[in-house]
């Protein structure tokens, strides 16, 4: 690489590093100026929600507190910082459409969003250029940056439907499977070991391949959910789907602790209701009063009824091989050890005592399964988890939660945000909550309509993403002609900037330098395989192993999480800026010689 090109490549990372430094400095100052930053508007701060995930739940519970740009509108703050550093751009011919479609020709998303903007008196941003769109869509759908030749051919194409054709092209790529296998690996918390149990590399690999194969086959998402909730098997190293339920095994307590955690995982992952975890410890009254109107009226007994669907499930281990403490998991229903409904007989463990005094009669010793949201009960002789899987996936909240999780990935925030904290008492615009509560979704009509479209598509994830990326709202520019008001962020009147995932940063550097690494993922004789891209790693924590393990430092700096007690985050930090200027992985590519880099082709 020529000297001038090397300097330009390095300058790119210096600018990015400076942006991250400024973002972190502003965040630190905002927190320093916030006297309530460490205070929570709830009692019983020892609750599980206020441990490692303190910030996630505290920010969502700041009902009625003064607005803070960095905490309540972080996407607006980041977008403004980035936009302020961007030079003016001349728009090439055919680089973007000049006008919005007529209202009666808009799709579901645009009809609801542009109507809401009009009612609020907010002018949307302009439509993004073709250059911006191809980069945005390629990263969002596949986690990669587009090749220069594809950018040129796309921008030069005069076809009016070229954006829709690009979306189809991206959805068909194997990189799409890579990106979303990483996403669902995060959502399902697939790792070789967490703070409670070990799946070992064999179990993690089997679960990864289950997720990957399901996406590659475009399996209907309701089918995936049913398989994960109801899966049974004798060997977690060979039957990948049973590893999801294994992740809910809790040690050091009675078996009800396991039922509770597995039930909480089901509610959060497939219904977007993370407060179920809280209700499995205590009644909502006095605990969730400022966080969830629905939760504040919920009882622990109702949560026990939900958890009782797991009461006939046993998870146990079988030793394997010569390695000490090496075993695979079995997950089976209605074994001799698991034929009793949820028992109220505990005084120790990870949650408060479970005693008959907590039942309506005050004497009930066991709790039978009842689906909280409809009152449905398993038929006589029906497998409890099969019944639960059916109730979950036929519940409209399943569709709402799924589209909201995916929406948040493309727009930076959910229509309900955070996406895992749905308040079921604040979703219906025809039955609004009492003051001072307000409707929770920023656009309830859109959320319900998008969920119905998902149901109508037979729970097709690609169809959902196609609908989102083809919408005019998704294609709005991040630049805004005028003064932006952070309060408009929930209107989606502008495309919000997001910081790339750790894996996207790694892969963009490798791709743009044309110095592609090779990683052999194996440990203790267990081989996952050889991959070239970070987006192909089977988990986050510790990847990659072996002689190239130093890359873990760069990936960890961008907060990829560990799929256990550390969530993936998009914060900026000083260490990120330093790594972009000094990390060996980056420097080896800045100083690389030879031809073929995307940077060289653009100069």
């Amino acid at each position: 690489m020529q000297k001038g090109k090397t300097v330009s490549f390095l300058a790119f990372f210096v600018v990015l590093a400076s942006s991250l430094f400024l973002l972190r400095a502003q965040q630190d100052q905002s927190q320093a100026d916030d006297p309530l930053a460490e205070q929570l508007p709830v009692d019983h701060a020892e609750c599980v929600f206020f441990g490692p995930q303190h910030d996630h739940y505290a920010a969502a519970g700041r009902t009625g507190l003064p607005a803070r740009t960095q905490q309540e509108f972080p996407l607006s703050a980041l977008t403004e910082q980035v936009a302020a550093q961007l030079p003016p751009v001349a728009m090439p011919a055919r680089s973007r459409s000049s006008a919005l479609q007529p209202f009666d020709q808009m799709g579901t998303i645009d009809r609801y969003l542009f109507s809401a903007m009009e009612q609020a008196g907010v002018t949307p941003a302009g439509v993004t250029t073709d250059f911006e769109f191809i980069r945005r869509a390629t990263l969002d759908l596949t986690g990669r940056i587009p090749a220069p030749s594809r950018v040129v051919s796309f921008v030069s194409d005069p076809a009016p439907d070229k954006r829709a054709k690009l979306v189809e092209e991206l959805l068909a790529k194997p990189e799409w499977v890579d990106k979303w296998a990483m996403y669902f690996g995060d959502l399902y918390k697939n790792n070789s070991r967490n703070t409670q149990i070990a799946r070992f590399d064999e179990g993690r690999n089997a679960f990864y391949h289950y997720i990957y194969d399901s996406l590659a086959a475009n399996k209907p998402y309701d089918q995936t959910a049913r398989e994960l909730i109801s899966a049974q098997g004798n060997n977690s190293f060979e039957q990948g789907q049973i590893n999801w339920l294994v992740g809910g095994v809790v040690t050091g307590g009675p078996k009800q602790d396991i039922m509770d955690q597995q039930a909480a995982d089901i509610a959060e992952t497939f219904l977007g209701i993370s407060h179920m975890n809280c209700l499995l410890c205590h009644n909502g009254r006095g605990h969730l009063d400022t966080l969830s109107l629905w939760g504040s009226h919920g009882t622990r007994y109702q949560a026990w009824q939900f958890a009782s669907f797991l009461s006939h499930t046993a998870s146990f281990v079988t030793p394997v091989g010569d390695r000490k403490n090496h075993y695979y998991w079995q997950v089976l229903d209605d074994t001799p050890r698991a034929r009793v409904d949820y028992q109220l007989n505990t005084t120790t463990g990870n949650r408060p005592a479970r005693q008959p005094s907590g039942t309506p009669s005050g004497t009930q010793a066991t709790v039978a399964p009842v689906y909280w949201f409809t009152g449905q009960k398993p038929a006589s002789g029906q497998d409890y988890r099969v019944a639960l899987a059916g109730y979950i996936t036929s519940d409209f909240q399943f569709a709402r939660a799924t589209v909201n999780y995916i929406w948040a990935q493309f727009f930076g925030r959910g229509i309900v945000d955070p996406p895992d904290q749905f308040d079921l008492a604040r979703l219906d615009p025809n039955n609004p909550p009492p003051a001072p509560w307000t409707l929770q979704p920023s656009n309830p009509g859109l959320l319900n309509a998008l969920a119905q479209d998902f149901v109508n598509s037979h729970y097709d994830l690609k169809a959902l993403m196609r609908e989102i990326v083809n919408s005019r709202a998704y294609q709005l520019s991040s630049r805004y002609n005028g003064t932006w008001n952070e309060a408009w962020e929930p209107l989606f009147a502008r495309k919000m900037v997001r910081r790339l995932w750790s894996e996207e940063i790694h892969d963009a550097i490798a791709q743009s330098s044309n110095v592609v690494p090779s990683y052999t993922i194996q440990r203790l004789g267990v081989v996952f395989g050889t991959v070239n891209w970070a987006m192909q790693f089977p988990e986050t924590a510790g990847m990659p192993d072996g002689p190239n393990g130093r890359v873990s430092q760069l990936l960890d700096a961008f907060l990829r999480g560990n799929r256990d007690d550390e969530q993936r985050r998009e914060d900026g930090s000083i260490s990120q800026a330093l790594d972009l200027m000094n990390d060996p992985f980056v420097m080896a590519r800045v100083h690389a010689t030879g031809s073929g880099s995307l940077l060289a082709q653009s100069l």
Side-chain angles (χ1 to χ4, degrees), residues 256 259-260 304 307-308 311 340-344 354 365-367:
Q256 289 91 328
M259 302 170 199
D260 284 356
W304 286 338
S308 187
S311 63
V340 180
D341 289 353
Y342 195 98
Q343 293 178 291
L344 303 181
R354 304 171 184 86
T366 61
V367 180

Side-chain angles (χ1 to χ4, degrees), residues 9 12 96 111 132 137 148 154 191 198 226 272 310 330 367 403 405 449 484 510 549:
F9 193 35
F12 166 77
R96 67 175 171 188
R111 284 200 307 272
E132 294 165 337
F154 176 73
N191 50 27
R226 284 194 300 273
L310 285 303
Q330 299 182 59
V367 180
V403 300
Y405 273 126
W484 176 255

Side-chain angles (χ1 to χ4, degrees), residues 203-468:
R204 174 206 66 197
N205 293 349
F207 195 10
Y208 172 87
H209 289 303
Y210 169 81
I211 296 170
Y212 185 95
D213 292 346
S214 297
L215 290 166
N218 199 29
K219 182 185 295 182
Y221 191 61
D222 63 328
Q223 180 181 340
T224 299
R226 284 194 300 273
E227 290 174 356
L228 292 178
I229 294 170
S230 64
Q232 297 191 53
N234 290 298
N235 192 328
S236 61
F237 291 178
E238 298 175 356
Q239 298 160 281
Q241 60 269 39
I242 70 174
N243 282 282
W244 184 69
L245 215 60
V246 167
V249 173
V250 178
T251 60
K255 60 185 179 181
Q256 289 91 328
D257 281 356
I258 299 175
M259 302 170 199
D260 284 356
Q261 189 57 56
Q262 291 173 337
D265 290 345
I266 290 170
E268 179 173 343
T269 304
F270 296 114
L271 298 175
I273 304 174
S274 58
H275 291 124
M276 179 72 75
N277 210 336
C278 195
L279 291 163
L280 284 160
C281 281
H282 41 62
N283 293 337
R285 181 68 66 192
H287 297 267
L288 293 174
D289 292 11
T290 59
L291 294 180
S292 169
L293 178 60
W294 168 81
S296 69
H297 292 90
T299 67
R300 195 180 183 196
Y301 180 76
Q302 290 172 301
W304 286 338
Q305 291 178 310
F306 188 82
S308 187
F309 282 98
L310 285 303
S311 63
H312 286 198
T313 300
S315 305
F316 44 93
V317 299
T318 299
V320 61
D322 298 328
R323 284 167 50 192
K324 184 179 181 180
N325 296 325
H326 186 216
Y327 46 82
Y328 58 81
W329 288 88
Q330 299 182 59
V331 178
L332 300 171
D333 284 358
D334 294 313
T335 64
R337 67 172 71 181
R339 289 178 179 164
V340 180
D341 289 353
Y342 195 98
Q343 293 178 291
L344 303 181
N345 62 352
T346 69
T347 57
T348 62
N350 299 287
R351 296 181 188 265
R354 304 171 184 86
Q355 294 292 298
S357 58
T359 66
S361 67
T363 61
Q364 187 176 337
T366 61
V367 180
V370 178
Y371 188 63
W372 190 329
F373 314 105
T374 62
Q376 292 170 284
K377 303 175 183 179
S380 177
Q382 185 179 16
D383 182 278
Y384 281 2
R385 286 193 291 122
V386 170
L388 177 62
Y391 301 151
I392 292 281
T393 54
S394 60
D395 190 333
F396 194 65
Q397 178 58 26
F398 169 73
R400 264 195 300 245
T402 303
V403 300
N404 192 58
Y405 273 126
I406 299 300
W407 180 278
Q409 292 303 305
F410 287 94
F411 284 90
R413 64 177 294 149
I415 302 171
V416 166
D417 200 68
D420 61 354
Q421 295 181 45
F422 268 82
D423 185 341
L424 301 185
R426 299 167 57 203
L427 301 180
D428 186 358
N430 296 319
N431 184 26
W437 295 96
T438 59
L439 286 171
Q440 186 186 36
S442 58
N443 195 314
L446 171 60
L447 178 61
N448 288 334
L450 196 61
Q452 188 60 56
D453 286 350
F454 188 49
V455 174
N456 295 344
S457 75
H458 303 290
Y459 304 93
D460 186 331
L461 289 171
K462 284 189 176 182
L464 171 60
M465 295 183 193
R466 180 183 296 114
E467 183 174 7
I468 289 173

Side-chain angles (χ1 to χ4, degrees), residues 9 130-132 134-135 138 144-157 166 169-170 173 507-514 533 595-603:
F9 193 35
D130 282 347
F131 289 103
E132 294 165 337
I134 188 172
R135 179 184 182 277
T138 306
R144 300 277 188 88
I145 56 177
S149 59
R150 188 65 187 97
V151 173
V152 171
S153 65
F154 176 73
V155 173
S156 302
D157 185 355
L166 175 66
E169 174 188 323
L170 295 172
K173 284 182 172 292
D507 291 353
I509 294 172
Q511 184 180 350
S512 61
S513 65
N514 201 36
W533 308 99
S595 62
S597 75
L598 301 192
L599 177 71
Q601 295 178 43
S602 66
L603 295 177

Side-chain angles (χ1 to χ4, degrees), residues 530-546:
T530 299
V531 300
N532 301 110
W533 308 99
M535 198 64 78
Q536 296 172 328
F537 292 162
E539 69 169 297
T540 52
M543 293 285 109
D545 299 313

